[in-house]
Amino acid sequence: DEHVPDDIKVQSVIVDGSPWEAIVKSAKKLEVDLIVMASHNKRKFADYVLGPNAEHVVHHTKMSVMIVR
């Protein structure tokens, strides 16, 4: 709340199931504009490869996705 402007709506959601499927399903249901997620890939070439859940979300939704390292 401290870093988000008052005119931006932010919502946290807790769901069960496969992480990437739950993210895509929830984002569609909530009609979000942007999905923001972390990439927890620990490989040496992490700059070039997304983590498996981030990769699935990117490929299975039409919404914008921002991956934060």
Side-chain angles (χ1 to χ4, degrees), residues 11 23 26-35 61 63-64:
Q11 184 174 5
I23 291 167
S26 297
K28 286 179 183 176
K29 180 178 179 182
L30 297 169
E31 298 179 351
V32 302
D33 297 318
L34 175 66
I35 299 169
T61 187
M63 295 163 201
S64 296

Side-chain angles (χ1 to χ4, degrees), residues 20 37 39-41 43 49-59:
W20 73 267
M37 39 186 319
S39 176
H40 295 291
N41 197 328
R43 291 179 255 188
V49 180
L50 297 175
N53 288 311
E55 183 176 358
H56 277 88
V57 170
V58 168
H59 291 293

